[in-house]
Amino acid sequence: MGIKKKDIPKSVQNAILDDVANYVLESTLSDVGGLTSPVTGRRFKDLSPAYKERKKKEGGTPIPNLELDGDMLNGLNVKRSGSKLKTTVPASEQKKADGHNNFSGDSALPERNFIPDAARGQTYRAEIRKGIKEIIRDRLEDEGLL
Amino acid sequence: MSDLHAKINAAQFKRFREKLAELKKPINRDTAIAVNKAVIAEMKDMITKGISPIEGTGRFPGYKNPKKYPGKKKPKTPVNLTLTGKMLKALKGFVEPTKSGYASVIQYTGGEEVKEEGHREGANKQPKRPTIPLINKGENFAQRILRVISRIYRDRIKTLKL
């Protein structure tokens, strides 16, 4: 963008990160709600017949929206951590999150990634990355830095 | 106009305010209508997925007693503020003349404003789940919606420069 990070005041960097954090959280929830991975952009694999029945019995919708009670998605958090962003779920939900994202490599479930695994070179899909760039550009323009 | 409305104006955004002042040209009615349509579409998409259209809020809080409500009326998640669909159908956009041309105004109509009041206040001891940001009280639309607005204004300003 023609400006170096060191030339951006810390307060502006923090404001940008906060805006991006909100955007990433909203986009993740939106994609998952649309049964799509915010990482691959592909539709989640359908549920097994047995799990569909279980969801129906427990008052859920028999679709791969990564929620039954909603605890994991309700706890999804994207926050500034130093000069980076950290995406987490509460400790009580991490096993479920790993089940879907397979960070451990031990999950037997179909992968339904909603958090990119940097160790595997994953990132957010192109449209989300585009939105992030726009947020940065807009904030820098508002601050008179572009 | 209901008190619970959001007015969106290019002049609210410093980056556009300065460019419009420089060009000495306004945001036209068609652009304000385009903003209305795009914002309402994104709001409805977010709300039906249980996501608040207000910045920094994330998902709507869950039901306090899902066996009682929603019971068997609908799934317990996501909390999507939709039972009959009347409230979201009543979410409308209007245009209003301003110094910078036209502003877009988003609000509920046809009596459904009462439901938004209830969600904002947490009526009947339910968790608060407002959907329209009170911009004059420091609330803002979610970043996904701000992206949509920014793109439309930016495209319009590009055409003004030609």
Side-chain angles (χ1 to χ4, degrees):
Chain A
M1 278 188 201
I3 182 169
K4 292 186 177 143
K5 189 175 168 184
K6 64 178 177 68
D7 296 327
I8 303 171
K10 194 70 183 163
S11 61
V12 175
Q13 289 186 39
N14 287 344
I16 288 172
L17 281 171
D18 288 343
D19 286 349
V20 171
N22 282 329
Y23 177 71
V24 166
L25 177 62
E26 294 157 17
S27 297
T28 299
L29 293 172
S30 179
D31 278 2
V32 168
L35 316 187
T36 304
S37 168
V39 177
T40 66
R42 290 191 292 272
R43 191 174 167 89
F44 289 140
K45 189 175 177 184
D46 205 4
L47 301 177
S48 67
Y51 194 67
K52 273 188 190 177
E53 278 312 302
R54 181 186 157 187
K55 273 191 98 172
K56 273 191 222 171
K57 277 185 188 158
E58 295 189 33
T61 316
I63 53 174
N65 60 358
L66 308 193
E67 63 177 322
L68 182 55
D69 296 309
D71 294 336
M72 184 185 72
L73 292 181
N74 285 348
L76 184 64
N77 199 358
V78 185
K79 282 276 186 265
R80 188 164 29 101
S81 175
S83 62
K84 293 182 183 181
L85 289 182
K86 198 171 171 184
T87 303
T88 58
V89 295
S92 57
E93 305 301 314
Q94 283 180 10
K95 194 174 168 189
K96 283 181 208 167
D98 188 61
H100 294 302
N101 292 284
N102 199 17
F103 296 116
S104 65
D106 297 332
S107 174
L109 296 177
E111 270 194 32
R112 297 184 181 101
N113 315 81
F114 65 94
I115 300 175
D117 184 357
R120 281 184 278 169
Q122 291 178 350
T123 185
Y124 287 102
R125 64 182 179 90
E127 187 64 22
I128 294 176
R129 297 201 308 274
K130 180 184 166 192
I132 292 170
K133 285 183 185 164
E134 288 174 356
I135 288 171
I136 296 169
R137 178 200 58 199
D138 285 355
R139 181 62 83 151
L140 291 176
E141 281 186 9
D142 284 348
E143 298 292 336
L145 295 168
L146 270 188
Chain B
M1 189 189 298
S2 161
D3 283 343
L4 297 180
H5 66 270
K7 191 184 285 192
I8 305 160
N9 192 340
Q12 288 164 352
F13 303 87
K14 188 178 175 199
R15 58 194 175 274
F16 300 137
R17 190 164 65 233
E18 292 177 354
K19 282 176 184 158
L20 287 169
E22 193 183 292
L23 291 167
K24 292 188 175 119
K25 284 179 185 170
I27 288 294
N28 63 359
R29 203 162 185 279
D30 285 350
T31 302
I33 290 171
V35 167
N36 276 335
K37 282 187 180 159
V39 168
I40 287 170
E42 187 65 34
M43 284 179 75
K44 286 184 177 178
D45 186 64
M46 290 179 80
I47 292 168
T48 52
K49 290 171 178 172
I51 310 164
S52 170
I54 298 178
E55 187 176 33
T57 319
R59 297 235 300 178
F60 289 125
Y63 297 115
K64 283 165 61 175
N65 187 347
K67 280 186 181 164
K68 188 176 175 189
Y69 186 89
K72 294 194 178 186
K73 289 179 182 166
K74 62 174 188 169
K76 56 188 173 180
T77 58
V79 175
N80 58 14
L81 312 192
T82 304
L83 191 59
T84 63
K86 277 181 77 178
M87 188 178 94
L88 288 188
K89 272 190 195 148
L91 185 61
K92 302 284 183 199
F94 302 90
V95 294
E96 208 176 82
T98 67
K99 282 182 193 170
S100 61
Y102 284 91
S104 308
V105 180
I106 308 283
Q107 66 180 71
Y108 290 98
T109 57
E112 297 298 310
E113 308 90 295
V114 168
K115 287 181 188 163
E116 171 65 9
E117 279 173 27
H119 284 305
R120 176 161 279 280
E121 290 162 17
N124 301 318
K125 296 183 185 174
Q126 63 174 314
K128 294 181 182 178
R129 301 180 186 107
T131 66
I132 293 193
L134 298 181
I135 293 170
N136 58 356
K137 291 192 177 168
E139 292 178 357
N140 212 341
F141 277 109
Q143 281 294 328
R144 283 183 63 81
I145 296 174
L146 292 176
R147 291 302 91 232
V148 155
I149 296 169
S150 189
R151 281 171 193 160
I152 293 172
Y153 283 147
R154 202 174 274 283
D155 284 347
R156 172 61 187 161
I157 288 169
K158 265 187 206 164
T159 66
L160 290 178
K161 282 179 174 172
L162 296 172

